[in-house]
Amino acid sequence: MEELKQRILRDGRALNSEVLLVDSFLNHQVDPRLMQKIGMEFARRFREAGVTKIATIEASGIAPATMTALEMGVSMVILKKSVSSILSEGILQTEVFSFTKNKAYQLTLKSQFISPEDRVLLIDDFLANGEAAFGAIRLIERAGARIAGVGAVIAKAFQPGLEKLRKAGYAVEALAPVREMREGRILFADD
């Protein structure tokens, strides 16, 4: 998605070879017009996948997932990264290691919102090692649903997540696949 790539080049910042800062439009401050276009693009790419629900992991995936759900006319389910004192019944959990925070956390799905009839499109802000995506997939499949695909706003194509998901048989679309980055330099996989 060319507009997203241009926005990354203009407003994003590669802090080093592993950290890409896009907080001015994706996760600390959100550009709703860009998120709307991202949702339209994911909807276009997964139009034939039979999607009945969108799922995302809190918090940075919420904006692009919401716009995708709006565009596709389906509900969105948010998987939580922390255990709530009010969630006790009907929850599914799995441990996920966070690349960003360098620690494990419990990913939680309230199972009443995903059914065996669902074909779920997982939308996330970043795809790096694939740990979060595989954790979400485990929970969605444990709820009995099928994965229609995985959409990543930005994928670090030089890390193993993208390839691991594809090798596992999942349809994966990355709107901005980053091939290489280092301080002050970002190159996309399709450049």
Side-chain angles (χ1 to χ4, degrees), residues 8 12-23 27-28 99-102 126 128 154 156 158-159 178 180-186:
I8 292 167
R13 216 172 77 214
L15 300 181
N16 54 43
S17 64
E18 297 192 3
V19 178
L20 177 58
L21 196 63
V22 289
D23 60 350
N27 49 31
H28 284 250
F99 170 81
T100 309
K101 297 196 178 3
N102 197 29
F126 271 96
I154 300 168
K156 296 176 186 174
F158 55 90
Q159 290 181 315
V178 176
E180 176 189 335
M181 60 186 208
R182 56 182 178 270
E183 190 175 338
R185 182 173 167 92
I186 302 164

Side-chain angles (χ1 to χ4, degrees), residues 37-184:
K37 290 176 182 177
I38 285 169
M40 291 168 70
E41 183 62 19
F42 279 134
R44 184 187 70 77
R45 292 185 186 202
F46 288 101
R47 191 165 319 283
E48 304 302 318
V51 174
T52 62
K53 289 232 171 97
I54 305 294
T56 193
I57 299 168
E58 68 177 354
S60 298
I62 293 173
T66 298
M67 294 303 187
T68 305
L70 181 65
E71 186 67 25
M72 297 187 93
V74 298
S75 297
M76 181 189 65
V77 176
I78 301 169
L79 285 75
K80 303 288 186 170
K81 288 183 180 177
S82 57
V83 181
S84 168
S85 60
I86 61 169
L87 290 181
S88 59
E89 291 183 31
I91 63 166
L92 301 173
Q93 291 186 304
T94 191
E95 187 170 280
V96 172
F97 184 80
S98 169
F99 170 81
T100 309
K101 297 196 178 3
N102 197 29
K103 68 177 186 177
Y105 62 89
Q106 287 294 314
L107 189 60
T108 303
L109 168 65
K110 197 162 184 182
S111 61
Q112 76 184 69
F113 300 119
I114 300 280
S115 72
E117 294 79 38
D118 284 319
R119 288 190 48 84
V120 180
L121 173 58
L122 177 63
I123 299 291
D124 210 355
D125 60 337
F126 271 96
L127 175 58
N129 292 317
E131 293 297 317
F134 276 111
I137 288 168
R138 279 193 301 276
L139 292 178
I140 292 163
E141 289 179 341
R142 203 178 303 157
R146 292 177 294 158
I147 301 298
V150 177
V153 176
I154 300 168
K156 296 176 186 174
F158 55 90
Q159 290 181 315
L162 193 62
E163 187 61 29
K164 283 171 38 180
L165 284 164
R166 287 180 175 154
K167 280 186 179 175
Y170 299 105
V172 184
E173 291 286 340
L175 301 186
V178 176
R179 170 172 47 103
E180 176 189 335
M181 60 186 208
R182 56 182 178 270
E183 190 175 338

